[in-house]
Amino acid sequence: MKKIRIDACVYRLKLVDHHKIKDKILSDIDRSFSESLSPANSFIDSVSKLDWSQSQDFERSWTKIFLPSFYITMKEFLAGSGYKDEENVQLNNVWYQQYLEEDIHGWHVHSDHFTGVYYLEYPRGCSKTEICSPYSLKPKKIDASEGDIIVFPSHWIHRGPPNKSKNRKTIISFNFNLPIMEEGNINTRMIRR
């Protein structure tokens, strides 16, 4: 097998209105449904609190606060990546995960075209997301700050390494598709021939 290198990237954006909605989302998460992952029900994962099993329910109270800012922020992603028409973002899953000290989410991939992480609560010293492109398979720690969103192809291998901080880290993850095969959805003016 021969690998052919094609440029790709991880996008990093600031969520619109992060400072206005952060506390509201965290308050709703504190009162919302939760489950956990532990080595007893997962291979290596240990995540103290999440709501993955509810990830297709966009009517949860915290999602109603998050999603308007998310869709506005996606306009910037789409414009910078050659796609257009933010109404065509087909969000399939959105869920939160809270990591306490030593929590980990092992190497994995997602479904759909793109996946991403919104760093809702991200104190200094918390673990950084690591991503491997299928070309190099070399882990790269992603520099992000609280309020950032990173977006990358869903088939890229990634993980949340052990959280060595005593501080809680809260992220919101999501998976989405773009109907890129529909005529007119790719901004051909940005593609150089």
Side-chain angles (χ1 to χ4, degrees), residues 113-127:
H113 296 147
F114 291 97
T115 190
V117 177
Y118 163 46
Y119 297 88
L120 173 62
E121 182 179 41
Y122 195 53
R124 267 188 206 273
C126 288
S127 60

Side-chain angles (χ1 to χ4, degrees), residues 37 45-47 97 99 103-108 158-161:
L37 287 178
D45 301 327
S46 178
V47 179
Q97 292 183 187
Y99 295 81
D103 279 356
I104 180 174
H105 194 176
W107 293 108
H108 63 285
H158 59 282
R159 75 175 183 152

Side-chain angles (χ1 to χ4, degrees), residues 9-176:
C9 60
V10 174
Y11 299 88
R12 185 178 70 200
L13 311 109
K14 281 286 184 201
L15 183 81
V16 170
D17 293 332
H18 164 73
H19 294 294
K20 291 181 182 177
I21 65 174
K22 173 189 171 184
D23 291 338
K24 293 175 190 171
I25 294 173
L26 286 170
S27 177
D28 273 14
I29 286 173
D30 285 345
R31 295 187 310 268
S32 72
F33 168 85
S34 70
E35 54 202 344
S36 64
L37 287 178
S38 66
N41 59 19
S42 173
F43 176 65
I44 190 174
D45 301 327
S46 178
V47 179
S48 291
K49 187 175 177 182
L50 69 155
D51 68 347
W52 164 251
S53 67
Q54 309 286 309
S55 68
Q56 294 180 334
D57 176 5
F58 301 139
E59 296 300 315
R60 289 166 289 163
S61 59
W62 71 262
T63 61
K64 290 180 178 182
I65 300 166
F66 169 68
L67 290 177
S69 294
F70 171 79
Y71 284 117
I72 293 169
T73 305
M74 285 295 96
K75 286 182 181 182
E76 182 182 343
F77 162 72
L78 293 167
S81 60
Y83 302 103
K84 58 183 182 177
D85 209 1
E86 71 280 356
E87 286 80 22
N88 283 331
V89 169
Q90 297 171 347
L91 187 64
N92 295 319
N93 305 92
V94 60
W95 68 101
Y96 72 81
Q97 292 183 187
Q98 289 188 322
Y99 295 81
L100 301 179
E101 187 176 13
E102 295 302 325
D103 279 356
I104 180 174
H105 194 176
W107 293 108
H108 63 285
V109 297
H110 289 217
S111 60
D112 303 313
H113 296 147
F114 291 97
T115 190
V117 177
Y118 163 46
Y119 297 88
L120 173 62
E121 182 179 41
Y122 195 53
R124 267 188 206 273
C126 288
S127 60
K128 295 180 179 184
T129 302
E130 292 182 341
I131 301 175
C132 292
S133 83
Y135 180 80
S136 70
L137 297 179
K138 292 180 183 172
K140 166 97 173 129
K141 289 183 180 179
I142 303 301
D143 286 325
S145 301
E146 187 174 285
D148 284 352
I149 288 182
I150 60 169
V151 176
F152 54 95
S154 293
H155 68 280
W156 283 19
I157 306 162
H158 59 282
R159 75 175 183 152
N163 186 22
K164 298 298 184 185
S165 173
K166 294 187 183 306
N167 295 315
R168 181 179 73 182
K169 174 175 95 172
T170 304
I171 63 162
I172 293 176
S173 289
F174 49 88
N175 298 330
F176 66 94

Side-chain angles (χ1 to χ4, degrees), residues 173-189:
S173 289
F174 49 88
N175 298 330
F176 66 94
N177 286 322
L178 295 174
I180 59 176
M181 301 311 290
E182 292 179 13
E183 188 174 334
N185 196 38
I186 295 178
N187 188 346
T188 54
R189 290 177 301 199

